[in-house]
Amino acid sequence: MSKPTVISLGEILWDMLPTGKRAGGAPVNFAYHASQNGAEGYAISAVGNDELGAELIADAHKAGINTLVQTNEYPTGTVDVALTNGIPEYTIVKNVAWDHIKLTDELIDAVSKADAVCFGTLGLRSPESHDTIIELLKHTKEGALKFFDINLRSDFYSKELIEELLGYATVFKINDDELLLMRDMFELPGTTDEEACNWFIKNFGLEYIILTGGATFSTIIAKDGEVSTLHTPHVEVADTVGAGDSFSGSFTGKILTGAPLKEAHRAAVNTSAYVCTKEGGWPTYPAEGVPDYLAAAAK
């Protein structure tokens, strides 16, 4: 039986950490972790015709990520990452290669066959990549998961963009800080977290909404009313770069391979905790699998 196909749309870049550069970009992080959880991961993006771009593609292939990555004359994307107690702060360089992804028949064909696509606001900050990604979303096949990880960064978003992307999404992932912003943006004062989440499910026809609460909890609500809430296990944090993306990718991989909601959620929580114990967004998985931190915490 062939593996389900997951395609990431948007940024691929170097996270310039205090300890050195690490390959990343939220959508590509997603594809990596989906590929470690039963799916075949592909990245659609662009890099520059430079050494950083060649290294980035080589690292992606080494990590098992298939690439549909264009090369253009803009510089390869970089992000300066400052860590405070392991928590990252990002300075994102503008007008780089992934801001100029061109629409091609090859990309349309790939997306039309995918079982899931993922995207966020950042990858659509420029007109060219915005138009390309929106057109690709229009070509997804019926029944494909369309995973919108809002992933707000700097000022690279607007209500109009968020509404536009929610119009294509079947899965919406948001953290507790972003939910506060969404309450104001969509005029949802006085609602509980669950009421606000259900509002998004109802108004945008979502299959799932995922709310993460950092070091405290995560909750997944399905359109049929099933709810799964798990606490976040405490681990020794190296950095949290890519932790949310690993949650998203592992959840999607498990759901696409037939896992029930609670099982997929548990895998996502354990994977995210594991990533926090390592540097960078693409750590090698242990041969025996990611530790069950939730089981250990329950003892």
Side-chain angles (χ1 to χ4, degrees):
M1 182 177 174
S2 60
K3 292 181 178 181
T5 300
V6 172
I7 296 182
S8 67
L9 309 173
E11 65 270 22
I12 187 170
L13 49 83
W14 287 106
D15 286 320
M16 310 303 277
L17 294 153
T19 53
K21 70 181 190 293
R22 296 272 181 172
V28 189
N29 295 343
F30 176 102
Y32 171 73
H33 290 284
S35 74
Q36 298 297 307
N37 285 273
E40 190 79 15
Y42 287 79
I44 286 178
S45 190
V47 296
N49 185 20
D50 50 33
E51 188 174 335
L52 285 178
E55 280 187 79
L56 197 47
I57 293 175
D59 273 21
H61 291 168
K62 194 182 301 181
I65 303 167
N66 301 291
T67 58
L68 294 166
V69 176
Q70 300 167 359
T71 300
N72 59 38
E73 295 309 310
Y74 295 88
T76 296
T78 57
V79 176
D80 291 325
V81 184
L83 298 175
T84 304
N85 298 321
I87 307 300
E89 294 181 8
Y90 303 98
T91 304
I92 306 170
V93 177
K94 298 180 181 180
N95 198 29
V96 293
W98 57 261
D99 287 313
H100 301 277
I101 304 169
K102 293 188 179 298
L103 184 67
T104 66
D105 290 340
E106 179 187 26
L107 299 189
I108 291 172
D109 182 63
V111 166
S112 70
K113 297 173 183 175
D115 299 292
V117 295
C118 81
F119 50 95
T121 53
L122 181 59
L124 289 86
R125 68 178 180 178
S126 72
E128 186 169 7
S129 288
H130 169 279
D131 292 351
T132 293
I133 291 172
I134 292 297
E135 191 61 32
L136 291 175
L137 290 174
K138 292 176 182 177
H139 284 84
T140 53
K141 69 181 182 183
E142 186 176 355
L145 280 182
K146 288 168 278 187
F147 198 113
F148 176 27
D149 186 346
I150 194 168
N151 198 30
L152 300 181
R153 293 285 181 263
S154 187
D155 58 349
F156 302 125
Y157 64 89
S158 65
K159 182 180 181 182
E160 291 73 25
L161 177 60
I162 292 166
E163 285 185 315
E164 182 179 29
L165 294 177
L166 279 168
Y168 293 100
T170 62
V171 185
F172 183 35
K173 177 172 173 286
I174 191 168
N175 66 35
D176 49 355
D177 289 333
E178 291 163 342
L179 182 58
L180 289 173
L181 193 152
M182 293 297 102
R183 286 177 192 276
D184 291 338
M185 186 178 283
F186 288 92
E187 299 179 354
L188 304 172
T191 56
T192 66
D193 286 353
E194 189 164 335
E195 287 169 343
C197 288
N198 279 312
W199 184 89
F200 281 102
I201 290 174
K202 178 181 177 181
N203 282 273
F204 292 99
L206 302 171
E207 293 182 28
Y208 303 99
I209 187 165
I210 301 172
L211 174 64
T212 59
T216 310
F217 76 97
S218 57
T219 294
I220 302 178
I221 303 174
K223 67 178 179 182
D224 64 5
E226 184 179 4
V227 179
S228 177
T229 298
L230 292 171
H231 71 269
T232 301
H234 293 284
V235 296
E236 188 172 336
V237 174
D239 67 53
T240 62
V241 175
D245 310 323
S246 71
F247 184 112
S248 306
S250 54
F251 173 78
T252 300
K254 294 298 185 186
I255 286 290
L256 289 177
T257 52
L261 174 62
K262 292 184 186 299
E263 181 184 326
H265 186 191
R266 188 180 188 92
V269 170
N270 283 323
T271 299
S272 183
Y274 173 71
V275 169
C276 287
T277 70
K278 305 296 179 183
E279 293 183 349
W282 306 352
T284 301
Y285 278 46
E288 65 278 12
V290 168
D292 192 339
Y293 298 100
L294 287 168
K299 291 179 180 177

